[in-house]
Amino acid sequence: MHLPAWSQLWLLSQIEWQRLFLTRRGWLTITASFLLWFVLLRYLVMPLSQWMLDPAIMEGAEMVAGWVDVRQLLLWPRPELSLFWLLALVLSPMAAVLFSAGQICRDRSRGTLRLYCLRISRSSLLLGRFLGQLLVQGTLLALTLVASLALAFWQGAALSLELLSAALFCWVFVMLCLLPFTALMSLMSVWLNSSRAAVSLAILVLSVLPAVLGVLAYYWPGVLPLFGWLPGAQIPALMNSLPWQSWAPLALPVGQALLLLALSLYSFERRGI
């Protein structure tokens, strides 16, 4: 007897999430994330947040690296959260590419893909694994966000609704930015037979495609708007946003994720197991 589609999706996503805590690979992922964010919080966020708490910094604060407006960051409830926001926007997509590469190809290499497809539909398998990866990424992001809040409290922040609202904003918006990257790895996982090959092809696509568009834009400036359709194109615009004030740029990653998932489902249905 087959389970309803929504039950299959929920069960598969739960299995994917449980692997984070029940397998050696999952604990290696947790350990790597913990060490990375410990170094960033201790040696980058902590000194910079103390520097930003100085009232004199408000005067003369200027643009950094052409993208980040320090004056906007100073308008957040706490500098620890604004710095976490910047780091999460930059690092989380890379982590999504690295950690979600084996959604389908892992079962194909083990020989268990055919067994799964005898009991559930291919679409349920792919979407369930996709949702499971989002659960894993959301859990890791929430843990690092809690660590950032703990740092803020340790440095004298008071618990307030505004602070918690800003933290929720960070989690929701970063997760929305991760959608196209996780969906891209679903497609790479369908096309290829190993996680390593999927990561390599994804990095190649994400690095070569902008370079190709740059060359084309040099000769035909009319292709410049295509840069705005690349995965992650909305991230520079979000860097200077304040909590809950910039919803418009998020339509792009949602649309990209839906398009990539549709292409993944089509490819999975047509490819042999």
Side-chain angles (χ1 to χ4, degrees), residues 17 137 239:
W17 182 80
Q137 295 165 21
M239 283 183 171

Side-chain angles (χ1 to χ4, degrees), residues 105-116:
C105 60
R106 184 172 53 201
D107 290 315
R108 183 180 288 116
S109 62
R110 292 175 179 172
T112 57
L113 183 58
R114 185 178 300 275
L115 177 62
Y116 276 118

Side-chain angles (χ1 to χ4, degrees), residues 179-236:
L179 288 176
F181 295 94
T182 308
L184 174 64
M185 298 317 296
S186 294
L187 181 60
M188 298 295 102
S189 186
V190 168
W191 282 355
L192 301 170
N193 293 325
S194 71
S195 300
R196 183 175 301 177
V199 171
S200 300
L201 182 58
I203 293 175
L204 189 65
V205 169
L206 294 174
S207 58
V208 171
L209 192 56
V212 172
L213 288 178
V215 173
L216 293 176
Y218 180 80
Y219 295 100
W220 299 285
V223 305
L224 278 174
L226 294 180
F227 278 101
W229 294 93
L230 296 176
Q234 79 287 348
I235 290 178

Side-chain angles (χ1 to χ4, degrees), residues 126-164:
L126 188 142
L127 293 176
R129 288 290 168 78
F130 172 77
L131 293 176
Q133 287 299 320
L134 291 181
L135 284 177
V136 169
Q137 295 165 21
T139 300
L140 294 175
L141 183 64
L143 292 175
T144 55
L145 183 55
V146 169
S148 300
L149 287 174
L151 176 61
F153 293 142
W154 188 74
Q155 296 195 125
L159 181 62
S160 65
L161 184 60
E162 184 183 18
L163 183 65
L164 296 179

Side-chain angles (χ1 to χ4, degrees), residues 25-262:
R25 181 186 180 92
W27 279 105
L28 286 174
T29 301
I30 293 174
T31 303
S33 299
F34 171 80
L35 292 175
L36 173 63
W37 279 99
F38 173 80
V39 171
L40 292 174
L41 292 175
R42 174 63 181 85
Y43 298 104
L44 183 62
V45 174
M46 181 182 290
L48 282 179
S49 61
Q50 293 172 350
W51 176 75
M52 292 170 65
L53 287 171
D54 186 350
I57 299 302
M58 182 69 77
E59 302 176 3
E62 298 179 353
M63 299 294 287
V64 177
W67 283 350
V68 181
D69 189 348
V70 178
R71 291 166 295 186
Q72 285 289 98
L73 299 182
L74 292 171
L75 297 177
W76 281 61
R78 289 291 300 188
E80 295 87 355
L81 278 184
S82 63
L83 292 171
F84 171 85
W85 167 247
L86 292 179
L87 291 172
L89 282 177
V90 174
L91 297 177
S92 295
M94 293 186 287
V97 170
L98 293 175
F99 296 145
S100 60
Q103 296 177 48
I104 299 299
C105 60
R106 184 172 53 201
D107 290 315
R108 183 180 288 116
S109 62
R110 292 175 179 172
T112 57
L113 183 58
R114 185 178 300 275
L115 177 62
Y116 276 118
C117 291
L118 289 175
R119 297 182 175 272
I120 57 178
S121 65
R122 295 191 183 191
S123 59
S124 295
L125 178 60
L126 188 142
L127 293 176
R129 288 290 168 78
F130 172 77
L131 293 176
Q133 287 299 320
L134 291 181
L135 284 177
V136 169
Q137 295 165 21
T139 300
L140 294 175
L141 183 64
L143 292 175
T144 55
L145 183 55
V146 169
S148 300
L149 287 174
L151 176 61
F153 293 142
W154 188 74
Q155 296 195 125
L159 181 62
S160 65
L161 184 60
E162 184 183 18
L163 183 65
L164 296 179
S165 176
L168 180 61
F169 161 81
C170 288
W171 189 88
V172 171
F173 274 53
V174 171
M175 287 301 300
L176 289 174
C177 290
L178 293 181
L179 288 176
F181 295 94
T182 308
L184 174 64
M185 298 317 296
S186 294
L187 181 60
M188 298 295 102
S189 186
V190 168
W191 282 355
L192 301 170
N193 293 325
S194 71
S195 300
R196 183 175 301 177
V199 171
S200 300
L201 182 58
I203 293 175
L204 189 65
V205 169
L206 294 174
S207 58
V208 171
L209 192 56
V212 172
L213 288 178
V215 173
L216 293 176
Y218 180 80
Y219 295 100
W220 299 285
V223 305
L224 278 174
L226 294 180
F227 278 101
W229 294 93
L230 296 176
Q234 79 287 348
I235 290 178
L238 288 173
M239 283 183 171
N240 295 318
S241 63
L242 294 175
W244 308 110
Q245 290 190 359
S246 300
W247 287 93
L250 295 175
L252 176 62
V254 174
Q256 289 171 337
L258 293 175
L259 178 61
L260 289 169
L261 280 177

